[in-house]
Amino acid sequence: METSKTIKVIIADDESIVRKGLRSTVPWDKYGMEVVADAPNGRKAWEAFLEHKPQVVITDIVMPEMDGIELSRRVKEAAPDTKIILLSCHRDFEYAQQGMKLGAAGYLLKTAFEDEELEGMLAKFQHELAIAPSAPVTAQTVGSEDEDERLGTLLYAWLNGHNDKLVGEMEKRTREAWSFHGEPVYVYLIKTSGCASWLELLKEALEEDRQLCKGAIIPYGDERCYLMVPESLLNAAESLLVERKSENAKLQWARKGPLTSTEERLDALLALHKAAELEKVYGVIATDWPEPIWKAVKLLHDNPAAEWSVSDVAGQVGLSRSHFSIIFKKTLGDSFVAFQYKRKLKLAYGLLKDTPLTMQEIAERTGLGDSKYFSKWFKRCTGQTPSQYRAEHKDGTLRTYGHPPR
């Protein structure tokens, strides 16, 4: 190969935030590389491969239309020297082994890999492909869309426990671009809930409003974004949202503030995210339930291994035991005890299907004591032992990515 050529890369993953994240956070120039295409499924990735003839393919293992294993097989048949990196979840380990047998260069756990792991592979590829790095970029203007993507990726990584690079970025911006002349700020989480992307609904209006464009937008996927505005723009922000909701009834938002420090801003982002994930799990929004019940469910959700009694939770939300029990059953249709069992069973299902955890580890995470008691309890609830359930579902399609998700 000629040393003047750039190494072409394609990325295949059905999660848009993963594709955007890899595009915007990896220093591709450093390794003489350029992402020439990304694709949401294996079929489109194969079409992109035929069009661009990349030297590096980064692919998720489980994707619609064509999975990453079949994509890898086709790529290796067409171009044996192509470098392939598989993106995997814990439960995909057997698939990852298949990919390695086909000639994949390595695999990364999507829920846990560090930047250094991926960059180490890219440096190795650069050396093996004998292509010199591109000239360093001394001056670069980053467009607002690229900046949005970068911030969204940092937020995603921080909220899902992958790294804390967002913290330093927020500290810098609180001092500089997002200082808002020392005003307290309010943080909104805006959810479009499938009616449109937040970009379609809000960004154009925000940029047209000379005042509101001073606010800060951080995207979180296509259907959520965070908006940070100073206190003086609070009424303008509320008016815009109400106006947009009159046109799109599914538009929802939640707000935290006033906030005066970086720590408070970060706490608000995390609290809004946790509430949104809880809403997603139970298919409701906070206003659908009485506030004490919402607080109770959030308490259970945030502390899955804790063994809460009815009295404990009632005390936490400021109700008597009897009053709490009555409105809990009325709101959710299950008694507190029945709800706890269903919640623990759902958690156990996910841990058995999607992780390699031992029975003892799962028992501890679900608050069910030791593995012996957990196995008996699970069989009494389902008619199967945990091992039988895991064996039947290990090749299922449920996937986890630290989510919010999700």
Side-chain angles (χ1 to χ4, degrees), residues 6 11 79 127 146 162 218 222 225-226 251 286 291 301 369 381-382:
T6 299
I11 299 167
H127 175 74
D146 292 339
H162 300 328
I218 310 177
D222 293 330
C225 75
Y226 291 84
L251 180 66
E291 186 176 357
H301 185 78
C381 292
T382 67

Side-chain angles (χ1 to χ4, degrees), residues 23-181:
R23 267 186 176 273
S24 61
T25 61
V26 176
W28 299 105
D29 286 328
K30 179 179 177 182
Y31 305 102
M33 298 181 182
E34 177 189 2
V35 179
V36 294
D38 62 64
N41 59 58
R43 180 180 59 78
K44 289 188 175 180
W46 174 240
E47 292 171 358
F49 177 83
L50 294 176
E51 178 183 353
H52 296 284
K53 300 294 191 297
Q55 293 89 358
V56 177
V57 174
I58 301 175
T59 178
D60 188 11
I61 289 179
V62 181
M63 294 184 293
E65 300 196 36
M66 182 193 298
D67 65 25
I69 301 303
E70 175 60 18
L71 174 63
S72 299
R73 185 186 66 76
R74 293 191 185 190
V75 166
K76 281 296 184 180
E77 285 180 357
D81 292 335
T82 304
K83 308 296 184 183
I84 298 175
I85 297 175
L86 299 171
L87 300 177
S88 168
C89 294
H90 285 293
R91 68 170 194 83
D92 296 330
F93 182 69
E94 291 180 12
Y95 292 114
Q97 287 182 312
Q98 292 178 39
M100 298 296 281
K101 288 178 183 177
L102 288 171
Y107 74 94
L108 298 170
L109 294 177
K110 293 173 68 171
T111 54
F113 83 82
E114 297 291 337
D115 296 346
E116 291 76 10
E117 292 181 79
L118 174 57
E119 292 189 36
M121 290 185 188
L122 299 181
K124 182 172 180 286
F125 295 166
Q126 181 186 33
H127 175 74
E128 291 173 351
L129 292 167
I131 295 181
S134 303
V137 179
T138 56
Q140 183 177 14
T141 302
V142 180
S144 59
E145 189 172 333
D146 292 339
E147 187 65 9
D148 283 347
E149 286 188 5
R150 189 180 78 84
L151 286 169
T153 302
L154 293 178
L155 177 67
Y156 178 86
W158 180 71
L159 289 174
N160 292 284
H162 300 328
N163 65 57
D164 60 359
K165 293 179 181 178
L166 179 75
V167 176
E169 185 72 19
M170 286 291 288
E171 288 172 345
K172 178 183 176 184
R173 286 172 179 266
T174 300
R175 292 192 305 269
E176 300 171 2
W178 297 350
S179 67
F180 302 117
H181 304 292

Side-chain angles (χ1 to χ4, degrees), residues 9 12 37 43 62 73 78 110 115 129 161 167 178 204 210 256 263 279 308 310 327 329 337 347 356 382:
V9 181
R43 180 180 59 78
V62 181
R73 185 186 66 76
K110 293 173 68 171
D115 296 346
L129 292 167
V167 176
W178 297 350
E204 184 178 346
R210 290 189 176 182
K256 292 282 185 183
E263 291 73 20
E279 290 173 359
W308 299 98
V310 181
I327 64 171
K329 176 71 180 292
V337 172
L347 179 59
T382 67

Side-chain angles (χ1 to χ4, degrees), residues 16 73 167 188 202 205 361 369:
S16 64
R73 185 186 66 76
V167 176
Y188 286 85
L202 297 170
E361 289 170 325

Side-chain angles (χ1 to χ4, degrees), residues 352-394:
L352 288 167
K353 283 193 289 187
D354 303 329
T355 78
L357 294 175
T358 66
M359 297 306 162
Q360 179 60 36
E361 289 170 325
I362 294 175
E364 291 171 0
R365 291 200 183 193
T366 52
L368 289 165
D370 59 27
S371 59
K372 193 171 182 180
Y373 177 76
F374 169 69
S375 295
K376 287 181 179 178
W377 174 85
F378 189 88
K379 186 171 184 180
R380 187 171 69 248
C381 292
T382 67
Q384 291 182 300
T385 66
S387 298
Q388 288 170 333
Y389 180 85
R390 173 172 269 173
E392 284 185 12
H393 292 83
K394 69 177 181 179

